[in-house]
Amino acid sequence: MRFTIPRRDLIQALPTLSLALIALLLGFMLWLFQAHERENERHTLIMDTLWAEQALRFQLGSAEEKLRLLADDLGRGAISSPLGFEAKARQMLAGNPDFTRLRWLGAGGAVNATLPPFPEGGGLDIGSLPLTEVRALGRAAYGGITQSPGRGAHDSAHLPLVTPIFRDGRYDGALVADISLQALLTQHVPWWFTERYRLSLLDPNGQTLAAKPEALPDPSQFLPDRATHRMPLDPPGQGITLLVALYRAGPWEAQAGILAAVSVLALVAGASLLTARRQMRWRVRAEQALRTEYAFRQAMEDSLTVGMRARDLTGRVTYVNSAFCQMVGFEAEELIGQDPPMAYWVPEDYERTQAVHDSVLAGTPYPSGFELRFQRRTGERFDALIYEAPLIDADGKHTGWMGSFVDITARKKAEESQRQQQEMLQQNARLITMGEMASTLAHELNQPLSAITSYATGSLNRLQAAGGDAELERALTKLTLQARRAGTIIRRIHDFVRKREPRLSACSLPEIAQDALDFLAAEARKLGVAIRTDLPDDLPFVHADRILIEQVILNLARNALEAMAAVPRGQRFLWLSAEALADRVEVRVQDSGPGVAAAQQETLFNAFFTTKPDGMGMGLNICRSLIEFHQGRLWYEPATGGGGLFIFTLPRAPEEAPDREKAA
């Protein structure tokens, strides 16, 4: 009698058989993967060992070079005393943590200096140092490994590096650096290497001299059959061997567990197929009813102009309506399932947006809503007013959050425009008041200045008539000139405030600049500021009012002096230079101060903006106005190497006789 399997049963069994075959194939693939993984581990171990050996050799070569340079200094006599050697050695020990001691030996082997000094009772054993070898070969060599008493097992191993010192071609001693092998590994083997390997330095007897990490891990985490690789560390020689041991990256038991889990899941899936067929017809009927309800709800939500967005308890987007998609410019398929940060978040507001997002998920109430800035797909920014409410399912369980978004960009722009207009009105009022004050001051100061000039002139005349004192005459003459100059400056500023045209003529820029610097010379000497100029004599003349341009240079230079208040004396410099360009002359005022912060550079020339505690914030604003009146431009740049740099340009004067006459 022949046994046959019904065709229908065979078809139903096909999914189960397929799952069994899949489980077998997965097991075979895991076995292949394990074999391939072992080969890769072995190859990676060898390559990383070569890298570690090259890195240590490089560091030892760097140490040799540093000692050679120090030995050259000793040979040339640049360092001639133990104190000088100790200062230089202290710097080298601070910059090279793997150096534990530096010794300066004389030609006969006597110790000239050592840092740090040997402990009391400790001695210097030079028998293990290759002094004869370095003297004969004329190059550095490594001595025998030494042990320092009172230290840990690994910290006690030191490798002396001996570098010869030659003075005028003759051997004049040696420089000895004790290199801690443990510190060499600690400082120059990176953390990522020890995440996977343990690196050890062994002596010829197989004893560990240094290791990183120092503590031995659980021996069960080693792969003894293929997890180590040795190679000699040469230089420095001395029989040191580099041993690298690999930790177990992933135990085979975990892969076997995965195979077992896949097999069990295959059996469960086969049983689930039988149940799934029974549920299919019921699901078809339920899905039809759900589609009908969903279509009704979708039509209702599409009619809204308010953006709607739902998130689960982890913050993942689960639903968006068409109004929200239109608001941010993304399709629903692109947004649903997205985790923070969202594509419509503004990059510079990530932290604030994330903080609000987290507080909503934590249940922090916002009864009156909150505002955030987002960006559309095109990069356009917009402001939104958001209201969040908890999502409760049919069982009363909190499943997420529903937010409604209202675009308030137009309202915010209107509010900002109103605020800016109000600020502009206030600034205009302050500027008008300041102009009136400047005009009043100019008028009031003219009378005492005229009196000073008259009294100084009269005193000078009487002094000359009486035979006089030459030194006093010079002082009165300078007093008269400065009083007239002050009066001229006040008249120019008064004319500028009252919108009168200054007197423009062809002027010599070096003369203008020198007058301004002469006025600041005493203050610069008091502050310890060195003034340097680069004003070529063949600079073309500029078309300007010399008094106003002198005030601009004076203001910029005085700002530079004040900016260097925190700079140590001896490092305070003020540079004033000029250069002729195609149709203009460029003037540069540079200081060695801290410069202007990047956040303040955009508002540096605004009216009433100041970084000084007692400043009015009008100096740079007036300077820019004066330069722009002359058809020039004034701007700020960070100086190369630190400091501040102000640059302004002035147009060249037309081909005519220059006005070299200084304002009286």
Side-chain angles (χ1 to χ4, degrees):
M1 179 176 179
R2 199 159 105 193
F3 178 76
T4 58
I5 300 177
R7 180 181 180 86
R8 181 176 179 182
D9 294 340
L10 182 60
I11 294 175
Q12 293 178 352
L14 282 177
T16 304
L17 293 174
S18 299
L19 289 174
L21 290 174
I22 290 174
L24 291 174
L25 289 174
L26 285 175
F28 181 69
M29 290 176 62
L30 286 174
W31 179 82
L32 290 178
F33 175 77
Q34 177 68 8
H36 181 68
E37 185 68 17
R38 290 191 177 191
E39 182 62 27
N40 282 343
E41 285 177 352
R42 182 65 181 172
H43 180 266
T44 304
L45 171 63
I46 295 173
M47 296 303 295
D48 288 344
T49 303
L50 288 172
W51 179 90
E53 190 267 343
Q54 291 293 327
L56 294 179
R57 287 184 59 185
F58 174 79
Q59 293 303 327
L60 291 173
S62 177
E64 293 177 11
E65 179 63 19
K66 292 176 182 177
L67 288 178
R68 186 189 65 78
L69 294 176
L70 181 54
D72 289 346
D73 290 342
L74 291 170
R76 292 194 310 268
I79 301 175
S80 58
S81 66
L83 289 178
F85 172 79
E86 290 179 4
K88 194 69 174 182
R90 189 172 290 106
Q91 294 179 1
M92 183 170 290
L93 290 176
N96 298 271
D98 46 340
F99 286 9
T100 59
R101 178 174 283 110
L102 286 174
R103 291 174 278 174
W104 176 17
L105 306 182
V111 178
N112 293 336
T114 179
L115 189 76
F118 285 98
E120 184 175 355
L124 171 63
D125 179 16
I126 64 173
S128 62
L129 301 179
L131 297 178
T132 304
E133 179 183 347
V134 299
R135 180 173 185 173
L137 298 179
R139 58 180 176 82
Y142 291 88
I145 298 170
T146 61
Q147 302 289 333
S148 298
R151 305 287 297 274
H154 295 161
D155 268 354
S156 62
H158 289 76
L159 186 66
L161 173 58
V162 183
T163 302
I165 301 173
F166 289 95
R167 183 185 298 272
D168 298 327
R170 292 180 295 102
Y171 177 76
D172 193 43
L175 184 64
V176 183
D178 291 338
I179 301 175
S180 170
L181 296 180
Q182 183 61 47
L184 181 66
L185 298 185
T186 301
Q187 296 295 324
H188 304 299
V189 175
W191 64 267
W192 58 263
F193 192 90
T194 55
E195 287 287 321
R196 186 177 177 88
Y197 306 103
R198 183 172 190 261
L199 189 147
S200 306
L201 295 179
L202 309 179
D203 63 9
N205 298 323
Q207 298 297 318
T208 300
L209 299 173
K212 185 176 181 181
E214 293 187 63
L216 289 173
D218 184 358
S220 64
Q221 292 197 357
F222 282 111
L223 302 176
D225 58 338
R226 64 187 188 282
T228 62
H229 187 72
R230 297 169 181 258
M231 69 183 311
L233 182 62
D234 186 26
Q238 303 301 330
I240 297 179
T241 302
L242 188 67
L243 173 64
V244 177
L246 172 69
Y247 298 138
R248 186 181 295 276
W252 170 250
E253 290 79 2
Q255 300 178 7
I258 293 174
L259 178 60
V262 170
S263 302
V264 172
L265 289 175
L267 294 175
V268 173
S272 300
L273 287 174
L274 299 176
T275 306
R277 293 182 71 253
R278 299 175 184 176
Q279 301 292 330
M280 191 170 297
R281 291 183 181 179
W282 178 85
R283 288 188 62 183
V284 170
R285 292 193 295 267
E287 287 175 358
Q288 182 62 36
L290 183 62
R291 281 195 295 269
T292 301
E293 182 179 353
Y294 178 78
F296 175 78
R297 190 188 70 175
Q298 188 68 35
M300 179 180 63
E301 292 174 353
D302 288 343
S303 64
L304 297 176
T305 58
V306 176
M308 306 294 293
R309 179 203 62 189
R311 297 177 294 173
D312 61 17
L313 294 177
T314 65
R316 180 178 296 140
V317 177
T318 58
Y319 165 78
V320 289
N321 69 345
S322 60
F324 185 84
C325 293
Q326 293 175 3
M327 189 178 296
V328 299
F330 292 92
E331 299 295 332
E333 294 78 9
E334 299 176 275
L335 297 174
I336 294 177
Q338 191 176 91
D339 290 314
M342 306 301 180
Y344 48 85
W345 286 8
V346 177
E348 57 266 27
D349 288 344
Y350 269 177
E351 293 185 3
R352 177 174 176 269
T353 308
Q354 183 70 51
V356 174
H357 173 275
D358 294 341
S359 61
V360 170
L361 295 183
T364 303
Y366 289 92
S368 58
F370 55 90
E371 296 180 8
L372 284 177
R373 169 158 287 197
F374 298 116
Q375 64 179 2
R376 311 186 202 278
R377 187 168 199 159
T378 59
E380 179 187 357
R381 309 299 171 87
F382 70 95
D383 296 297
L385 178 62
I386 307 169
Y387 297 91
E388 293 277 2
L391 277 174
I392 309 298
D393 64 7
D395 299 327
K397 182 180 178 181
H398 182 200
T399 60
W401 298 88
M402 174 64 75
S404 60
F405 290 69
V406 180
D407 190 342
I408 58 171
T409 305
R411 190 187 77 185
K412 295 278 288 186
K413 287 183 178 179
E415 293 175 354
E416 179 64 19
S417 176
Q418 183 178 3
R419 184 189 65 80
Q420 291 179 356
Q421 290 179 359
Q422 185 67 27
E423 290 182 356
M424 189 177 298
L425 289 175
Q426 293 176 358
Q427 287 193 2
N428 287 339
R430 293 176 67 186
L431 287 173
I432 291 172
T433 302
M434 181 169 287
E436 294 174 351
M437 292 173 60
S439 179
T440 302
L441 286 173
H443 177 73
E444 295 296 331
L445 289 176
N446 265 330
Q447 293 181 0
L449 285 174
S450 298
I452 291 172
T453 303
S454 299
Y455 284 126
T457 302
S459 299
L460 181 61
N461 292 336
R462 295 190 63 179
L463 185 63
Q464 290 174 346
D469 184 345
E471 184 176 355
L472 188 57
E473 288 182 11
R474 284 195 298 272
L476 288 174
T477 302
K478 290 183 179 180
L479 175 63
T480 304
L481 291 176
Q482 292 299 329
R484 291 176 179 175
R485 180 174 177 273
T488 304
I489 292 173
I490 289 175
R491 286 194 298 274
R492 290 287 191 273
I493 294 176
H494 184 265
D495 292 343
F496 179 77
V497 171
R498 299 184 61 184
K499 300 298 182 182
R500 294 180 181 174
E501 292 292 329
R503 294 198 294 269
L504 300 179
S505 61
C507 304
S508 171
L509 191 57
E511 292 181 3
I512 297 175
Q514 194 59 50
D515 287 346
L517 294 180
D518 290 344
F519 189 77
L520 287 175
E523 183 177 357
R525 284 193 301 271
K526 179 181 178 181
L527 296 175
V529 178
I531 300 178
R532 300 175 179 176
T533 60
D534 183 10
L535 304 168
D537 294 334
D538 58 350
L539 275 177
F541 292 98
V542 294
H543 190 60
D545 185 308
R546 65 176 301 117
I547 298 298
L548 295 183
I549 299 304
E550 183 178 339
Q551 286 302 112
V552 171
I553 297 176
L554 192 64
N555 194 8
L556 295 178
R558 181 174 283 113
N559 285 347
L561 296 181
E562 295 174 355
M564 293 184 285
V567 177
R569 284 180 174 266
Q571 301 178 16
R572 302 177 183 178
F573 298 98
L574 172 65
W575 292 274
L576 179 62
S577 60
E579 180 184 2
L581 302 180
D583 57 347
R584 62 193 184 280
V585 176
E586 183 178 274
V587 183
R588 305 165 71 89
V589 181
Q590 180 180 345
D591 61 70
S592 59
V596 180
Q600 299 176 343
Q601 292 180 14
E602 294 184 0
T603 57
L604 190 60
F605 295 95
N606 290 355
F608 307 111
F609 174 82
T610 180
T611 58
K612 304 175 186 177
D614 55 350
M616 297 182 61
M618 290 302 298
L620 290 177
N621 181 266
I622 292 176
C623 287
R624 172 172 277 187
S625 299
L626 292 174
I627 295 301
E628 290 178 350
F629 171 81
H630 287 80
Q631 307 301 317
R633 190 166 70 94
L634 170 63
W635 71 94
Y636 171 83
E637 291 181 1
T640 303
L645 173 61
F646 286 88
I647 307 173
F648 67 86
T649 60
L650 293 172
R652 288 193 181 195
E655 296 297 332
E656 60 184 23
D659 180 13
R660 293 180 174 268
E661 185 179 331
K662 297 183 181 178

